Amino acid sequence: MITLRAVGKAAFCGAAVARGVYEGARRRRTSAAAWERTNHAGRTVHLHAGPAAAAGTALALAAVPGPAPRARAAGALAVLAAAACGAHDDFAGAGDPRRGFRAHLGALRQGDLTSGAVKLIGIGAAACAAGAVVKERPLDKALAAVVIAGSAHLVNLLDVRPGRAAGAVLVLAAPGLARRASAPVAAAPMAAAAALIADDVAERTMLGDTGAHALGAGLGLAVVAGNGRTGLALHAAALVAAALAMDARNHLCE
């Protein structure tokens, strides 16, 4: 069946590219300190899984047969844009204690463009562009944008312990494999996450905002591909509720 071939191609491309980029980056010694971070347990890990996850997901989406070329290109670009915004936060925003929409939007109102605000604006714009391409009706386009941006944000919120974000992508994207329209799209972030999760769990690397946002955007694209208006509305509502709840928790903890 074409779906099985498409899923296999997406899975192979996503896993092979992610693992290849990861191994290549890991073996480089230049600017090693810039890529190192201290994780929750005080161990030094590197951020090489982030670009690897982004590359694997984006190239798998671009190569997968089935969706129209414009939709494939839009999906790949949305993932890369999410990764670029995450990378900006990983490096330019390192050490910034501000968390949540409220903090970053408050800073923006005062003229301070934080790395978090760059993520909100950049990923939101990329999600809107992708939604405009993959859906036809205006309301569906808007819902698709919320789902893609919201999924990118959700997976990033889950990236607080080794393997949690990658594991969430594997679990949350899995239902998409059962739907013909979304199966190849769901396979892309799942394969990239699967190729990297062992090193993430072993605390050799971390996805960072780069990888978490990229995988999340890929997850959102799979949800969009497999759902009509009602499904999109339900997913969008759940994602907005989760984002607001987490933002409120961050505000209370400050």
Side-chain angles (χ1 to χ4, degrees):
M1 294 174 62
I2 187 171
T3 301
L4 291 178
R5 291 199 299 271
V7 170
K9 182 175 182 180
F12 176 79
C13 181
V17 171
R19 195 68 204 179
V21 170
Y22 174 77
E23 291 296 340
R26 186 176 63 84
R27 291 170 184 169
R28 290 186 61 186
R29 299 301 180 188
T30 56
S31 302
W35 289 83
E36 291 178 347
R37 296 293 185 275
T38 301
N39 71 2
H40 74 287
R43 296 187 178 91
T44 299
V45 299
H46 56 70
L47 293 170
H48 299 319
T57 303
L59 289 178
L61 288 173
V64 66
R70 288 178 69 247
R72 296 201 302 268
L77 289 174
V79 168
L80 292 176
C85 292
H88 177 72
D89 198 29
D90 279 335
F91 293 97
D96 189 342
R98 288 170 290 192
R99 295 290 182 270
F101 296 120
R102 191 175 314 189
H104 292 295
L105 292 178
L108 186 61
R109 284 195 297 269
Q110 296 174 10
D112 183 7
L113 182 62
T114 66
S115 58
V118 169
K119 287 197 305 181
L120 291 174
I121 297 168
I123 294 175
C128 287
V133 171
V134 300
K135 291 296 183 182
E136 296 181 358
R137 299 180 181 276
L139 180 56
D140 295 338
K141 294 175 187 288
L143 290 171
V146 173
V147 169
I148 295 167
S151 297
H153 181 62
L154 174 66
V155 173
N156 186 55
L157 290 176
L158 295 174
D159 191 30
V160 294
R161 290 291 187 274
R164 185 171 294 182
V169 170
L170 292 174
V171 171
L172 296 175
L177 296 176
R179 299 185 177 186
R180 184 180 182 86
S182 61
V185 183
M190 288 182 71
L196 301 167
I197 192 170
D199 288 80
D200 192 357
V201 171
E203 300 184 64
R204 289 187 286 270
T205 189
M206 63 189 302
L207 290 169
D209 284 18
T210 306
H213 281 305
L215 290 176
L219 170 63
L221 288 161
V223 172
V224 169
N227 285 273
R229 181 171 297 174
T230 300
L232 288 177
L234 292 172
H235 279 89
L239 288 165
V240 169
L244 291 175
M246 185 61 70
D247 190 61
R249 192 182 77 171
N250 287 335
H251 181 67
L252 289 173
C253 291
E254 289 177 353

